[in-house]
Amino acid sequence: MRAVLMAGGSGTRLRPLTYDVPKPMVPILNRPIAEHILNLLKRHQITEVITTLHFLPDVLREYFQDGSDFGVQMTYAVEEDQPLGTAGCVKSTAELLDDTFLVISGDSLTDFDLTEAIAFHREKGGKVTLVLTRVPNPIEFGVVILDREQRICRFLEKPSTSEVFSDTVNTGIYILEPEILDYLPSNQEADFSKDLFPLLLSQGEPMYGYVAEGYWCDVGHLDIYREAQYDCLQGRVCLKVSYQEQKPGFWLGQNTYIDETATIEGPVLIGHNCRIGPRVQISAGTVIGDNVTIGADADLKRTIIWNGVIVGDEAHLEACVIARGARIDRRTHIMEGAVVGSLSTVGDEAQINTNVRVWPCKHIEPGATLNINLIWGHTAHRNLFGQRGVAGLANIDITPEFAVKLGAAYGSTLKAGDKVATSRDQRSISRMVSRSLISGLMSVGVHVQNLEATAIPVARTVVPTMDVEGCIHVRIHPDRPNYILVEFFDAQGINISKSREKKIEGAYFKEDLRRVQIHEIGNITYPRDQVIDVYSQAFAKTLSVDAIRWGGTKVVIDYAYAVSGAVLPILLADFGCDAVVLNASLRQIIPSTEEREALLNQLGHVVEALHANFGVQVSANGEQLVLVDESGIPIRGELLTALMVHTVLTAKPRGTVVVPVHVSSAVELIARRHDAEVIRTKANPTALMEACHSNPNVVLGGSSEMGFIFPQLHPGFDAMFCIAKLIEMLTVQERSLGQIRTELPTVYHRSCIVRCPTNAKGALMRDLLETHGSDNIELVDGVKICDHYHDRWILILPDASEPLVHLFANSQDRGWVDMTLQEYRGQIQTFVDKIQGLDAQKQEGLFKFA
């Protein structure tokens, strides 16, 4: 007798376990469900098996091959183009079925007496026999009613609660005569329960039901999958266990080492070639696959671990599933119902909370707490906030669901009834995220004043006048066009402090979110009309408007399709400035780096053709800019920073300039000419804004990569005001950008990036401190190694969020810069390789206890 094993399902409800393996290959007691079915068939003298495949067919085919190692003869039928359904796939194998045959699902676990079922079929003489069973809750299955002769008289597939008329259900095991396939069309999708059986009933074709005794489980979702493992360990199902039972309830594979101090409470199964470390506690219900390593003091309670997993010291795993090849690092907590997909990594001291699912090949950072499924993206971070706000892939990391919770977390750190402003750029994705944030804020009783699409400098100017606790601004990330950036300002318009960020992160990760009653839900208002007026008045008060009008400056401004294009033309027109505007229309498409360079090249040609005083390209929602001089030549990078410092200090000598730690020392050389002071800060926007705001003598802050701050207007970066201020200063000083450029000192400043794992950054910084004298070290941000005598330095600056280290070398000697960058790059790479090598040795030797 032949059997058809239906193994085509993808097991959607078992995701993420079935993302890279078909459902029949999911292991029960370390062996695929399909292998247990083959053992059942063989036990009942059925050794010719035709297997229908669709989803990832090679996985099953490579495992079983011709079936000889499993005592059966395997033939495969692959549904190449589309799924044919349970009946359609059997129809496709009709030429191989010339006698009574049995159909069985590849994703159900059972020990039914198939010999008795076949004998019943032959006794009744019908063409179809369904193997049935009785279950307490039949609504997930096809319900069947039999008459006194065991003939099926009614059949309903997956009824609602009100439709349940029996507790006898279809198990998906059928005994059929080959002529029954004539009722089915060829090469068309058809299902036994939905199509064939109702058709046979309507035509009066006799169908019988055999009510089987024994164990049956449709491994339909993750909870049932775990329960099936526990049932097998407790002997509720009769199946072949591929390991020797050392004592009742304890199965152990070959070449497995268990430390004598480990505690094991049966029933438990541990596979081949495993290493169980000192003081490990393994509780009843745990199944451990082959080639698994469990570190010292780990605690496993009813955990299902697949082959090749590494579990670190002091990890705590409870009623969870860890798929093939995953790595669970030390002191990790994985809670009940959680699933970690194959080849994923969970970092030291991370926590995955109840019922959270991690898809394959993901990375959970050390110390992270995961409360939601990690499906898209690659990494779960322990921190929400990076170098500047909360950033992530648009609609992948930063989703509506994420934004609602983030808004609620921020609002929960405020008082119910407080007010918060929100603003954004003009992109649809930003509008979606902003609305979700607003929903979260309102849900915790915070009132919202929605500024809608507003340039970020305008929002920073207006916020201090609005009687709000702060503002959330949503925009496309200025450096990554596929990323969303969510920034939080305080009541002064400054990015919030690290301590405030930590409070928001705490509320988010601990889910400590306030919930208010219906009458306390926050409301939303739209004060958009007054916003531009407030900014315009502050703008005009801070400029010498007469100087701008008197100068008759012609400037060409490329807005690169950003929202700032809706503000600045109005202001410049009021000042009598001849402004030629390019690309000021709003659009959803974000210019790529290549497109922006093309626009910049176009800007240079227009400036030159119109004999304009200068040109400027505005970016980052009104925060950043690139200048073009009267000859059409771009001014950016360190040159732009030096030019702005020189121009402002010429207008206001003996002032103070604030720049990030990595900016060229040309700033200090220029400051000496003007008897001015330079303050260097950490390389993040908040540090720059705070320094500018706290020192009353500051006349300029920032750098070309972040933008420039004029604290007399507002504490943030503002490209729009920078343009107007440049027009004023060039008019008063009667100079052009080209002339100013020639006055700048020559300093060679280069940078590069070296990859460095996050867990090696601290060791690298310590090594640098230990190998260099303290007299020539500055620790504003990173490690800055200075040669004061020759006025040169190199800065090693770890990236705030990526596994990178930035190197900056600075000197008036180009050869020294090139040589030093190369030298330190090599040293750091060697150090990182050494650290990673030690980690690999430690990991390899960690569990060799013999």
Side-chain angles (χ1 to χ4, degrees), residues 172-184:
I173 303 173
Y174 314 125
I175 304 164
L176 308 171
E177 297 301 320
E179 55 265 30
I180 208 71
L181 300 178
D182 296 338
Y183 287 89
L184 294 169

Side-chain angles (χ1 to χ4, degrees), residues 689-709:
M689 284 186 265
E690 289 176 344
C692 289
H693 187 68
S694 61
N695 191 320
N697 201 36
V698 172
V699 294
L700 179 71
S703 66
S704 61
E705 63 177 332
M706 296 185 194
F708 296 100
I709 299 171

Side-chain angles (χ1 to χ4, degrees), residues 61-339:
R61 191 158 43 190
E62 289 174 5
Y63 184 87
F64 290 107
Q65 298 187 12
D66 64 359
S68 58
D69 290 343
F70 301 89
V72 297
Q73 177 186 329
M74 300 278 285
T75 305
Y76 300 97
V78 181
E79 303 169 65
E80 298 286 358
D81 300 323
Q82 63 178 16
L84 294 174
T86 56
C89 68
V90 175
K91 171 72 174 181
S92 68
T93 67
E95 61 184 16
L96 303 175
L97 302 171
D98 55 2
D99 199 356
T100 304
F101 64 95
L102 180 138
V103 174
I104 189 167
S105 173
D107 51 20
S108 295
L109 189 66
T110 183
D111 58 5
F112 286 162
D113 190 336
L114 300 181
T115 301
E116 286 291 329
I118 294 167
F120 173 89
H121 171 78
R122 287 176 172 155
E123 176 188 339
K124 293 297 182 181
K127 295 178 181 178
V128 177
T129 296
L130 279 65
V131 178
L132 311 174
T133 192
R134 294 189 171 96
V135 296
N137 183 11
I139 62 174
E140 289 290 321
F141 311 104
V143 177
V144 178
I145 285 185
L146 306 175
D147 64 14
R148 293 181 179 179
E149 299 298 322
Q150 303 298 103
R151 183 168 171 168
I152 295 172
C153 55
R154 191 174 178 190
F155 185 92
L156 182 61
E157 178 68 9
K158 296 185 179 179
S160 66
T161 303
S162 62
E163 293 174 318
V164 170
F165 47 75
S166 172
D167 64 350
T168 305
V169 300
N170 176 15
T171 67
I173 303 173
Y174 314 125
I175 304 164
L176 308 171
E177 297 301 320
E179 55 265 30
I180 208 71
L181 300 178
D182 296 338
Y183 287 89
L184 294 169
S186 298
N187 300 317
Q188 291 186 26
E189 184 174 355
D191 187 85
F192 281 116
S193 299
K194 295 178 183 177
D195 302 311
L196 180 59
F197 296 156
L199 175 64
L200 296 177
L201 275 179
S202 67
Q203 295 189 5
E205 190 71 46
M207 292 191 299
Y208 293 90
Y210 172 77
V211 182
E213 299 291 335
Y215 183 90
W216 175 79
C217 176
D218 177 13
V219 187
H221 52 76
L222 292 167
D223 290 340
I224 292 179
Y225 172 68
R226 295 199 316 274
E227 289 299 326
Q229 301 265 11
Y230 305 150
D231 289 343
C232 291
L233 285 176
Q234 293 169 357
R236 294 175 181 168
V237 52
C238 176
L239 51 73
K240 178 183 177 182
V241 180
S242 300
Y243 304 91
Q244 185 175 356
E245 190 170 14
Q246 300 292 320
K247 57 183 179 180
F250 180 34
W251 292 267
L252 184 65
Q254 299 177 1
N255 194 33
T256 285
Y257 173 82
I258 301 176
D259 189 271
E260 61 183 10
T261 60
T263 302
I264 299 175
E265 174 190 350
V268 161
L269 183 144
I270 302 175
H272 303 305
N273 305 310
C274 295
R275 295 293 180 267
I276 311 299
R279 300 171 300 282
V280 169
Q281 296 186 23
I282 301 176
S283 299
T286 298
V287 177
I288 297 175
D290 299 335
N291 307 303
V292 171
T293 299
I294 310 294
D297 299 294
D299 181 16
L300 279 60
K301 292 182 172 67
R302 296 182 299 127
T303 302
I304 311 301
I305 296 179
W306 291 15
N307 295 346
V309 170
I310 295 175
V311 177
D313 296 355
E314 301 178 55
H316 177 88
L317 281 59
E318 182 170 353
C320 55
V321 181
I322 313 297
R324 171 183 58 88
R327 173 172 170 168
I328 312 300
D329 287 340
R330 60 197 299 269
R331 295 180 182 170
T332 295
H333 280 61
I334 303 181
M335 301 292 102
E336 184 170 351
V339 176

Side-chain angles (χ1 to χ4, degrees), residues 133 256 265 344 351 415 419 426 495 500 702 720 834:
T133 192
T256 285
E265 174 190 350
S344 289
Q351 178 168 314
K415 298 177 183 177
K419 299 175 184 177
Q426 82 277 14
N495 284 28
R500 287 295 306 277
M720 298 183 292
K834 178 182 176 182

